[in-house]
């Protein structure tokens, strides 16, 4: 079969090549097409292009006339080039095999669902197994996270007027200092795993990126609250940093996510709602509330992907339990929660230095730690731990809360 392409005045380099390519593709390997046109460079362009592409070219002389005429036989190089190419799953994760069990490193950065040329370079992604990272909830949580982004400038009543007792202001600054440190760990950890995650698991990559952006915002607003009325921030302790370092150093995604998101951020939910409830000023209340709402999603994703992981591999549960015990052992000689933070929480919950109020403030902080413990146990049971294990593991959770 011969296909005719009449370019008219259209030059090869003006888009004429698209028509020729299209015709050659339709003709298929070994078949010929006829090209005609009046562009003065047509023969020169065809010669170099056909040589490049491996097509056979026969040019008929113009014989003084305007019209150039050539026939091109498709050399089949394009077909050969794409033999061995592979479809990298499907863009829609819900399609069968849309998300594969093991994502080949040679798919690299290709969009999920793209056809990847054979021989593409391998990327050094560590997290390539679906079981380790995937949750069917990731897309939904990502959409929710994007819709729930708030603007620190408008979401927080920065202009609210308040004047706290000096000690209460100091307590707020100390709590903010502690929160910033913990939020920094919560930003670094998912960010590090994003770089190790095979982009095939796109929805998880996107969700972790929004999570990191959430933490960036938390750091921002806690810092702004801390310096509203003070030049300097509060104290950072060895115990707090040692606790966070065990999280930052954890190399395994599933374990880091269990310790950080399920146990740490889960515990922080109680803490942030507590701060919101007893906040001595509207700015502190707002930053705590907005952060707590975001943390709810971070915890939800941790539970979602670990539930899926454990459904496929219940044998992984004891590893999770061990990670809590190991972390506890590593931290047993550190102070845990910084005493200044504890005292600051008592003071804001008391609202004054009045002994009766302080007793009530202390009582409230005790209730907070009980609430944190109950929350951890509930989440551990959701991951399939027995009541007894849940109680044991919760009691071994770091005293730094995160
Ligand atoms: Fe956060
Ligand atoms: Fe978080």
């Amino acid at each position: 079969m011969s296909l005719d392409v009449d370019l008219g005045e259209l030059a090869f380099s003006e888009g004429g090549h698209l028509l020729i390519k299209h015709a050659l593709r339709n003709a298929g390997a070994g078949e010929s097409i006829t090209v005609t046109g009046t562009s003065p460079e047509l023969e020169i362009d065809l010669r170099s292009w056909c040589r490049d592409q491996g097509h056979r070219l026969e040019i008929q002389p113009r014989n003084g006339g305007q019209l150039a005429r050539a026939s091109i036989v498709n050399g089949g190089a394009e077909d050969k080039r794409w033999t061995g190419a592979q479809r990298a799953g499907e863009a829609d994760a819900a399609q069968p095999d849309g998300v594969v069990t093991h994502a080949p490193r040679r798919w690299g950065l290709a969009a999920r669902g793209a056809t990847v040329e054979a021989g593409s370079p391998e990327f050094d992604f560590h997290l390539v197994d679906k079981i380790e990272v995937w949750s069917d909830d990731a897309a939904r949580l990502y959409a929710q996270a994007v819709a729930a982004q708030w603007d620190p400038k408008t979401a927080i009543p920065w202009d609210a007027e308040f004047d706290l007792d000096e000690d209460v202001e100091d307590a707020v600054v100390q709590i903010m200092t502690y929160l910033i440190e913990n939020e920094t760990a919560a930003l670094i950890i998912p960010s590090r795993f994003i770089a190790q995650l095979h982009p095939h698991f796109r929805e998880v990559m996107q969700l972790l990126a929004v999570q990191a952006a959430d933490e960036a915002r938390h750091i921002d607003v806690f810092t702004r609250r801390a310096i509203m009325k003070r030049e300097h921030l509060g104290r950072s302790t060895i115990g707090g940093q040692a606790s966070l370092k065990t999280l930052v150093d954890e190399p395994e995604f599933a374990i880091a996510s269990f310790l950080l998101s399920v146990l740490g951020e889960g515990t922080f939910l109680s803490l942030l709602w507590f701060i919101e409830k007893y906040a001595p000023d509207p700015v502190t209340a707002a930053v705590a509330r907005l952060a707590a709402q975001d943390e709810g999603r971070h915890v939800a994703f941790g539970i979602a992907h670990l539930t899926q992981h454990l459904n496929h591999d219940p044998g992984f549960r004891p590893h999770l339990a061990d990670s809590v015990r190991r972390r506890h052992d590593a931290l047993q000689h550190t102070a845990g929660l910084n005493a200044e933070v504890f005292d600051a929480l008592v003071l804001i919950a008391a609202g004054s230095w009045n002994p009766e109020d302080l007793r009530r403030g202390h009582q409230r902080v005790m209730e907070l730690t009980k609430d944190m413990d109950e929350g951890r146990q509930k989440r551990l049971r959701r991951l399939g731990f027995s009541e007894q294990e849940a109680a044991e593991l919760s009691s071994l959770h770091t005293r730094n809360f995160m």
Side-chain angles (χ1 to χ4, degrees), residues 138-154:
R140 186 181 56 79
L141 287 168
Y142 168 73
Q144 224 176 62
V146 170
Q149 297 295 297
W150 40 274
D151 179 357
K153 196 169 155 200
T154 52

Side-chain angles (χ1 to χ4, degrees), residues 183 186 214-215 218 265 291 295 298:
E183 296 291 349
D214 288 342
E215 309 300 11
H218 301 169
E265 291 174 312
E295 294 307 332
H298 307 171

Side-chain angles (χ1 to χ4, degrees), residues 4 47 83 88 142 176 186 198 206 283 286 363 367:
D4 295 337
R47 245 183 227 112
T83 48
Y142 168 73
M176 293 299 141
H198 197 305
Q206 290 168 310
V283 174
Q363 188 55 38
E367 279 159 22

